[in-house]
Amino acid sequence: MANDLYLPKAEHKFSFGLWTVGNRGRDPFGDAVRPGLSPVQIVEMLGEVGAWGVNFHDNDLVPIDATPQQRDQIVRDFRKACGENGIVVPMATVNLFYDPVFRDGAFTANDSDVRAYSLQKTMKAMDLGAELGAEIFVLWGGREGAETDACRRPDEAIKRFRDAINYLCDYNSAQGYGYRFALEAKPNEPRADIYFPTTGSYLAFIETLDNPDMVGVNPEVAHEHMPGLNMTHAVAQAWEMGKLFHIDLNDQVPGRYDQDLRFGSANIKAAFWLVKFLEDVGYENPRHFDAHAYRTEDYEGVKDFARGCMRTYLILKEKARRWNENKEIKRILDEISENDRKSNVGSAGDLLNKEFDRSKLASMGLQYEKLDQLTIDILLGAD
Ligand code: GCO
Ligand code: MN
Ligand code: MN
């Protein structure tokens, strides 16, 4: 049964954050359109739609002012719900952006008490995640930025951020948690300008840490597409460096605010290359959908949204398989690699003396038009 291919299974490692399917449709211009769901209800919904994992910010699960007793009760209920619904907790994160205390940033804030509080809050979130089995800890510095560069030198912000990550890595080691941290870049929103705006910024920064091996990245489709960048290229660079610890799948029309659309719903072709890349290289970390349903939906619509994210991924995975097996595509790729095999740089001395026939090299058609149309045929089901 071909359609079985599109049913989510545990092996696909599809996860959703509590804040994604639990999103109530608030935006800067309008209030909630859906009633709130408890974490337990969200886990039940994820079980129903066939997801594998649930992720959370500390305060998605435990309110910021909960007592230790309330916290422990919430954790017990949540753990039970996860068990009953066959849902695991692969990743945890910390909310360092919602509370007014973070108005000038968290790890980069000018007030050292705010910086210390941010570390404390993150350590407690790490404790919470570890208690529920999380192995990946995502850090999205939503407020690490500025409205005016009069407030601090940006290199000072980078140093403070480094100190914070080093501190958290030490805590991770001291507690024996074995977390892998995944830094998530976002180029704009909610500050006027954000430090570390791209995945590449974080990849360069990670090498300057005391424990670079413990830290990788969590690229997000929307965050790369927002400024018109290529998500697959960002992911490829992270992958090639052994740093693709986690991924946020959603969709986004370039140039707009953070839309968090259903995966593959805005740019199918970009989603296809991304899925094909992940499948071709054998990515095995969670596939997290950091998106939410349209504001027009009730919770049935939210389920449609969640099922749609996973279904589109699996359809594109199947398309990628067909692409890899397509005879015409294989023939063109063989020809391309034939030209590649012939190239040989040799020593600098040899290379300097070598004659190149530039006009011959430039005259051969490369068949990329055909390749791309074959791709489109596959995507549109005309192959
Ligand atoms: C956003 C971010 C967040 C993060 C989350 C994990 O655009 O709001 O993508 O959803 O992924 O905070 O830390
Ligand atoms: Mn986002
Ligand atoms: Mn995200």
Side-chain angles (χ1 to χ4, degrees):
M1 276 207 300
N3 281 352
D4 269 6
L5 284 175
Y6 307 146
L7 286 180
K9 300 189 187 69
E11 72 202 44
H12 302 129
K13 296 193 176 173
F14 289 139
S15 62
F16 290 84
L18 284 179
W19 70 96
T20 65
V21 279
N23 181 282
R24 300 179 59 196
R26 272 194 200 96
D27 69 17
F29 309 100
D31 211 344
V33 294
R34 292 184 279 270
L37 293 183
S38 70
V40 167
Q41 288 173 310
I42 295 174
V43 166
E44 286 165 359
M45 192 202 293
L46 290 178
E48 187 184 333
V49 299
W52 160 79
V54 64
N55 310 314
F56 51 80
H57 300 87
D58 47 355
N59 305 137
D60 299 335
L61 186 59
V62 181
I64 195 162
D65 41 18
T67 64
Q69 291 74 20
Q70 287 167 333
R71 174 204 185 274
D72 291 346
Q73 186 59 50
I74 291 169
V75 171
R76 270 197 297 277
D77 294 346
F78 188 71
R79 188 197 304 281
K80 185 161 166 275
C82 287
E84 285 171 1
N85 291 281
I87 298 287
V88 300
V89 176
M91 175 275 258
T93 180
V94 59
N95 187 323
L96 297 177
F97 43 88
Y98 193 81
D99 194 89
V101 71
F102 303 120
R103 70 200 199 284
D104 184 39
F107 301 149
T108 64
N110 283 342
D111 187 329
S112 58
D113 273 351
V114 173
R115 299 204 296 275
Y117 172 67
S118 303
L119 283 175
Q120 182 203 63
K121 191 172 193 291
T122 305
M123 291 189 295
K124 288 184 179 176
M126 289 168 65
D127 298 345
L128 180 65
E131 216 174 311
L132 288 158
E135 293 178 348
I136 297 160
F137 198 88
V138 165
L139 285 165
W140 171 57
R143 298 282 168 193
E144 314 293 9
E147 282 68 44
T148 168
D149 285 330
C151 72
R152 72 191 133 251
R153 267 175 48 168
D155 58 336
E156 182 59 25
I158 291 167
K159 288 183 175 51
R160 287 177 187 166
F161 197 82
R162 179 184 300 114
D163 288 346
I165 304 299
N166 284 337
Y167 192 95
L168 295 169
C169 286
D170 286 347
Y171 185 67
N172 187 30
S173 302
Q175 297 298 114
Y177 285 153
Y179 273 122
R180 298 199 296 164
F181 292 97
L183 307 180
E184 177 176 344
K186 182 173 178 176
N188 42 283
E189 285 192 354
R191 302 297 297 264
D193 291 293
I194 307 275
Y195 305 130
F196 305 107
T198 61
T199 300
S201 316
Y202 271 140
L203 288 171
F205 166 78
I206 288 167
E207 297 306 310
T208 72
L209 293 168
D210 290 346
N211 289 291
D213 291 350
M214 216 181 265
V215 187
V217 290
N218 178 38
E220 172 170 321
V221 177
H223 300 179
E224 304 295 329
H225 287 189
M226 210 181 280
L229 298 177
N230 184 313
M231 170 69 168
T232 305
H233 292 188
V235 162
Q237 191 183 356
W239 172 264
E240 201 269 338
M241 293 176 73
K243 293 295 185 193
L244 191 63
F245 289 3
H246 200 260
I247 194 164
D248 277 1
L249 301 170
N250 55 11
D251 216 345
Q252 167 80 30
V253 177
R256 309 282 168 83
Y257 62 94
D258 198 1
Q259 296 177 314
D260 282 337
L261 296 168
R262 192 178 74 255
F263 178 62
S265 63
N267 188 339
I268 300 178
K269 198 173 167 192
F272 170 70
W273 293 124
L274 177 60
V275 170
K276 179 169 150 30
F277 181 84
L278 294 174
E279 297 302 319
D280 282 352
V281 299
Y283 171 81
E284 281 186 342
N285 292 325
R287 293 172 175 81
H288 173 227
F289 297 103
D290 187 8
H292 50 73
Y294 303 150
R295 208 163 168 264
T296 48
E297 304 307 291
D298 60 10
Y299 280 109
E300 284 310 309
V302 172
K303 289 180 208 166
D304 292 337
F305 147 82
R307 289 192 178 104
C309 285
M310 298 185 283
R311 182 175 167 82
T312 298
Y313 187 99
L314 293 173
I315 294 172
L316 293 176
K317 179 178 170 176
E318 173 59 14
K319 298 283 183 192
R321 193 190 61 75
R322 292 173 77 108
W323 197 98
N324 287 336
E325 289 186 357
N326 182 292
K327 288 204 174 63
E328 186 69 355
I329 290 176
K330 271 190 182 161
R331 184 192 59 74
I332 298 174
L333 293 180
D334 280 351
E335 284 185 32
I336 293 171
S337 61
E338 180 63 21
N339 290 335
D340 188 23
R341 266 197 302 278
K342 278 184 196 152
S343 77
N344 188 355
V345 167
S347 72
D350 289 349
L351 184 56
L352 283 169
N353 290 320
K354 195 167 169 175
E355 299 274 342
F356 288 98
D357 185 345
R358 273 179 19 253
S359 63
K360 180 164 173 262
L361 287 175
S363 65
M364 218 168 14
L366 297 179
Q367 306 180 72
Y368 294 171
E369 281 286 1
K370 191 176 274 179
L371 254 188
D372 193 72
Q373 185 59 43
L374 288 164
T375 306
I376 295 291
D377 278 13
I378 289 174
L379 286 180
L380 299 185
D383 62 316

